Amino acid sequence: MEECKRVFHENVIPEVPDLAIYIPNFITQEEEDEIVKHVNNAPLPKWTQLSHRRLQNWGGIPHPKGMIAEEIPGWLQKYINQVSACNIFEREKLPNHVLINEYLPGQGIMAHSDGPLFHPIVTTISCGSHTLLDFYKRVSSTEQHQPDLQFSFLLEPKSLFILQGDLYHNYLHSIAERGTDVVAKSLIKNLDICGEKFSEGQTLKRGIRLSLTIRHVPKTSKLKLKIG
């Protein structure tokens, strides 16, 4: 536990609202390969196809009336346990849901917040490719202009990103729809704690990225489904 606290202290991202944490190489290459294999071997009905990406829900489908809980398979529970072991979540609010997004090069997601369906701590493991996660200050409904880009984080394969606090409640986050990203040190705030070293102006080509978003859904149904 003390080791986790030390790692978290060393990996708090500077120059941004409190409690954003980035840990490179949170999982091993073998674990990344294991995740990719299991995700790709999931039966086709497990996928939900959207216009700009496809996804899998594990643990249930979050809903305002309550998520009907489903058993999470052991291969995925392993990574929930690894995240939980670092004491990010309170004991009564341990993760019970994993959203897996698949992004092909050129795909992304519009600016959004995760909202009240979830406990306001989000942990994301990235596999397969890097991405840039962009953050925008939330604007009020009376403001007419589009929010301005405030800063970005470079999420490397095998990394863990933790979003909470002010960053959860008062900012929107997005992934731009493009096939490459250009390193800009003035904008990307976690470069100094990345696992690799990147140079100003370096072009990074995106590959296929899987993101495992691990979080707690507070409102669940008492009915629990066992899959398989």
Side-chain angles (χ1 to χ4, degrees):
M1 191 67 66
E2 289 302 318
E3 176 66 13
C4 283
K5 290 180 180 178
R6 182 189 65 79
V7 169
F8 277 17
H9 177 74
E10 292 178 354
N11 290 275
V12 173
I13 301 173
E15 300 180 42
V16 298
D18 60 341
L19 303 179
I21 297 170
Y22 178 77
I23 303 176
N25 299 310
F26 180 76
I27 60 173
T28 66
Q29 183 63 60
E30 291 72 24
E31 289 172 326
E32 182 187 40
D33 293 342
E34 177 187 52
I35 290 171
V36 172
K37 180 188 73 174
H38 280 289
V39 171
N40 289 336
N41 286 342
L44 193 59
K46 192 65 184 174
W47 287 102
T48 299
Q49 183 67 57
L50 303 181
S51 58
H52 297 281
R53 68 188 191 284
R54 62 176 184 162
L55 57 84
Q56 299 176 9
N57 277 285
W58 294 93
I61 299 177
H63 191 276
K65 293 183 178 179
M67 180 179 76
I68 298 177
E70 300 174 357
E71 187 174 11
I72 295 175
W75 69 265
L76 196 51
Q77 186 65 45
K78 169 184 175 180
Y79 301 101
I80 293 178
N81 294 344
Q82 286 182 210
V83 171
S84 300
C86 287
N87 210 28
I88 302 165
F89 296 89
E90 299 170 35
R91 184 173 297 275
E92 64 275 12
K93 296 176 181 176
L94 293 176
N96 58 359
H97 181 263
V98 183
L99 175 66
I100 299 178
N101 279 296
E102 179 194 68
Y103 296 96
L104 303 180
Q107 293 183 333
I109 187 170
M110 65 186 298
H112 68 285
S113 64
D114 288 6
L117 280 182
F118 306 98
H119 181 62
I121 299 176
V122 178
T123 63
T124 301
I125 296 173
S126 295
C127 297
S129 174
H130 84 280
T131 199
L132 274 189
L133 191 62
D134 299 326
F135 281 82
Y136 300 81
K137 186 72 173 177
R138 188 193 295 272
V139 298
S140 69
S141 58
T142 58
E143 296 182 67
Q144 300 300 314
H145 66 86
Q146 291 293 320
D148 296 325
L149 177 61
Q150 300 291 306
F151 47 80
S152 302
F153 302 143
L154 177 58
L155 306 186
E156 301 166 285
K158 302 186 288 296
S159 68
L160 175 70
F161 173 64
I162 302 168
L163 183 158
Q164 54 188 328
D166 186 43
L167 205 57
Y168 185 97
H169 293 291
N170 296 319
Y171 285 79
L172 307 177
H173 54 277
S174 70
I175 296 173
E177 295 183 338
R178 56 178 178 247
T180 59
D181 298 295
V182 177
V183 175
K185 294 184 177 180
S186 61
L187 189 64
I188 304 173
K189 299 302 183 182
N190 67 319
L191 286 177
D192 288 343
I193 53 177
C194 281
E196 295 186 29
K197 298 301 179 184
F198 301 95
S199 56
E200 182 71 20
Q202 181 178 351
T203 298
L204 307 177
K205 186 177 180 180
R206 292 185 190 176
I208 299 174
R209 176 175 176 261
L210 298 175
S211 65
L212 279 64
T213 301
I214 299 169
R215 52 195 168 182
H216 175 76
V217 178
K219 192 174 183 179
T220 58
S221 168
K222 293 181 180 179
L223 174 64
K224 185 171 184 178
L225 301 181
K226 185 172 182 179
I227 305 302

